[in-house]
């Protein structure tokens, strides 16, 4: 049996843009939790750390789709460079404001401007789609990207917290900013694999991808999934600190996605034939069931085990979600459609970080995980109620048919 991953990476340029994109998207995981780790240590208040992180993530969730819409219209190389420069300068200002004790308003202002950070997962999936559109290899490529996203959350969040705890509060954010700057530069310089600009078909007016019902459903579902990420990260930092083992936070967060990473790679190799909307329903159901033990994990080993099990369904949720977007969104707005779904995760992480931080400060660290349980229930209900729409026919050359009844 041929190795499907070897086949997709045999295409010239795929290893290069995939490697550069991996480093460029590390800040997706490093920045939100890095802000929390940096400010909670520098100021000693989780609510402030969560609020600044939420400001960045929520603003990015609104701005990144507009950046991607410009990318769909003018191309990646023309848009990514200026957007990244603004974001890098703002992150550096946020780090300086924390280190030098500048007024609190400068933290929020910096977080607002840092939100111009582009959605690299969308850029990567757009390149894969340009290479393998309507071919079986694209399912494998999307599965690889979902597994890589998971690895980003494993490595990024763990690295960000670990550096902040082991070195100094700003260390994680410094590395995150460096990855954003150098990774995006390397990605943009690889012009050979940049997807061509596609215009909307005659049956599809140039509108926003968020107006499509399927994008709305998937985005909302991943808002809830993103909330589970942030809750796990904030609660893990608070619990390990409360137990007198703060250095264990990076390890506990790291194991969160290991199982999911492995399952994601297996799904990419197997390519199940079950309809994607049904696969997504199964994934979010498992996600909800495995979240139930989290509030009762009162030691570091139990916490690590519970998070490992809880993370198993994350990559399958991502794989099916992005696969559905690729099939339900016209090619001329694919980058924007993927970005809305990606930033849905960011919105969830922002809200999850804020609510979990409040729960930790108000009650105790263990109660933060009840936010995860509630968020998983929200994802399950959203996907269940949206099955009819998600089972619609594929878009073809810019035209999306009316959703049909689920099989």
């Amino acid at each position: 049996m041929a190795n499907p991953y070897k086949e997709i990476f045999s295409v010239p340029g795929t290893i290069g843009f995939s490697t550069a994109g991996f480093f460029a998207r590390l800040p997706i995981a490093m920045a939100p939790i890095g802000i929390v780790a940096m400010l909670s240590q520098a100021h000693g208040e989780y609510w402030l750390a969560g609020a600044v992180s939420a400001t960045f993530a929520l603003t990015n969730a609104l701005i990144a789709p507009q950046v991607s819409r410009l990318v769909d219209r003018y191309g990646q190389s023309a848009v990514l460079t200026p957007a990244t420069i603004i974001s890098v300068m703002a992150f550096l200002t946020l780090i300086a404001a924390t280190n030098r004790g500048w007024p609190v308003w400068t933290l929020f202002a910096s977080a607002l401007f840092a939100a111009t950070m582009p959605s690299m997962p969308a850029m990567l999936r757009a390149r894969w789609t340009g290479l393998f559109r309507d071919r079986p290899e694209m399912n494998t490529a999307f599965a690889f990207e979902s597994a890589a996203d998971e690895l980003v959350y494993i490595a990024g969040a763990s690295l960000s917290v670990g550096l902040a705890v082991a070195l100094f509060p700003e260390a994680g954010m410094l590395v995150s900013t460096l990855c954003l700057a150098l990774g995006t530069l390397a990605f943009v310089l690889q012009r050979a694999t940049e997807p061509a600009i596609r215009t909307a078909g005659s049956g599809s007016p140039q509108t926003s991808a968020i107006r499509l019902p399927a994008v709305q459903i998937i985005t909302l579902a991943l808002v809830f999934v993103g909330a589970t990420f942030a809750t796990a990260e904030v609660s893990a930092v608070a619990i390990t600190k409360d137990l007198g083992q703060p250095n264990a936070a990076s390890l506990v967060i790291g194991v969160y996605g290991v199982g999911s990473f492995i399952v994601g790679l297996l799904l990419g190799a197997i390519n199940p034939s079950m309809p994607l909307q049904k696969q997504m329903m199964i994934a979010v159901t498992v996600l909800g069931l495995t979240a139930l033990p989290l509030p009762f994990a009162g030691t570091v080993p139990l916490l690590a085990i519970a998070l490992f099990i809880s993370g198993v369904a994350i990559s399958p949720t991502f794989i099916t979600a992005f696969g559905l977007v690729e099939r339900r969104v016209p090619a001329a707005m694919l980058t924007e459609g993927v970005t809305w779904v990606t930033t849905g995760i960011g919105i969830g992480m922002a809200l999850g970080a804020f609510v979990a931080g409040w729960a930790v400060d108000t009650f105790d660290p263990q109660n933060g995980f009840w936010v995860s349980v509630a968020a998983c229930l929200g994802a399950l209900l959203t996907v269940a109620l949206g099955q009819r729409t998600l089972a619609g026919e594929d878009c073809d050359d810019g035209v999306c048919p009316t959703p049909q009844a689920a099989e």
Side-chain angles (χ1 to χ4, degrees):
M1 177 178 169
N3 184 342
Y5 293 104
K6 183 177 180 180
E7 292 179 8
I8 64 173
F9 283 111
S10 66
V11 177
T14 53
I15 293 177
F17 81 71
S18 183
T19 302
F22 177 82
F23 287 99
R25 63 180 161 183
L26 274 172
I28 294 175
M30 293 186 72
I33 191 63
I35 292 172
V36 171
M38 178 176 69
L39 291 177
S40 63
Q41 289 188 79
H43 290 265
E45 296 174 304
Y46 281 100
W47 76 266
L48 176 62
V52 175
S53 179
T55 298
F56 161 72
L58 288 173
T59 308
N60 181 250
L62 296 174
I63 293 178
Q66 311 314 316
V67 172
S68 292
R69 193 174 185 183
L70 292 174
V71 168
D72 282 329
R73 185 173 300 179
Y74 300 109
Q76 292 183 352
S77 58
V79 177
L80 294 185
T81 300
T84 301
I85 289 174
I86 295 172
S87 184
V88 167
M89 296 303 295
F91 275 130
L92 292 175
T93 302
L94 176 60
I95 293 168
T98 302
N99 181 262
R100 307 304 299 176
W102 293 353
V104 170
W105 70 265
T106 61
L107 303 176
F108 289 95
S110 301
L112 283 171
F113 282 97
T116 59
M117 185 178 77
S119 174
M120 292 308 300
M123 307 304 155
L124 284 155
R125 286 175 171 84
R127 291 205 178 199
W128 287 116
T129 302
L131 293 172
F132 299 128
R133 187 184 305 276
D134 298 326
R135 291 169 56 183
E137 290 93 334
M138 194 168 69
N139 291 332
T140 301
F142 271 37
F144 170 79
E145 285 303 316
S146 295
D149 284 337
E150 191 61 44
L151 184 58
V152 163
Y153 282 105
I154 297 169
S158 180
L159 179 63
S160 189
V161 173
L163 289 171
V165 172
L167 300 178
F168 51 90
E170 301 85 4
M173 287 303 300
L174 279 173
V175 173
S176 173
T177 305
L178 185 64
C179 288
L180 175 62
L182 298 182
T184 305
L185 175 62
F187 183 83
V188 169
L189 290 176
Q190 299 181 61
R191 300 291 298 276
T193 52
E194 181 175 345
I197 300 172
R198 297 172 67 95
T199 57
S202 58
S204 177
Q206 192 65 33
T207 185
S208 174
I210 196 61
R211 291 179 177 271
L212 300 175
V215 175
Q216 295 171 355
I217 292 168
I218 298 169
T219 299
L220 179 59
L222 292 196
V223 167
F224 290 115
V225 174
T228 68
F229 291 165
T231 300
E233 292 168 357
V234 172
S235 298
V237 171
I239 290 172
T240 53
K241 183 178 179 180
D242 187 60
L243 293 172
Q245 302 178 62
N247 290 332
S250 59
L251 174 63
V252 168
I253 293 173
V255 301
Y256 183 34
V258 171
S260 182
F261 174 72
I262 296 171
V263 172
L265 289 178
L266 289 175
L267 281 179
I270 296 171
N271 266 333
S273 58
M274 181 185 295
L276 286 174
Q277 76 277 1
K278 294 183 180 179
Q279 292 185 46
M280 189 173 185
M281 185 67 197
I282 293 172
V284 295
T285 300
V286 174
L287 190 66
L289 291 174
T290 55
L292 293 175
L294 291 174
F296 307 101
T299 66
V300 170
L302 285 177
L303 182 61
I305 293 171
L307 284 173
F308 175 84
I309 296 172
S310 179
V312 167
I314 294 173
S315 268
T317 302
F318 281 178
I319 293 169
T320 54
F322 287 114
L324 283 166
V325 169
E326 186 276 329
R327 297 183 185 186
R328 302 292 179 263
V329 175
M333 56 178 69
L334 177 62
T335 308
E336 184 196 352
V338 173
T339 302
W340 276 113
V341 174
T342 303
T343 53
I345 301 172
I347 293 173
M349 291 184 70
L351 295 175
F354 182 76
V355 177
W358 172 82
V360 167
D361 286 336
T362 304
F363 302 103
D364 61 66
Q366 210 67 36
N367 280 307
F369 279 121
W370 287 111
V371 180
S372 272
V373 175
C376 288
L377 178 60
L380 178 59
L381 290 174
T382 301
V383 176
L385 294 173
Q387 284 289 292
R388 179 184 176 88
T389 299
L390 296 178
E393 297 179 18
D394 296 351
C395 289
D396 182 24
D397 196 25
V399 179
C400 291
T402 303
Q404 303 295 320
E407 297 179 2

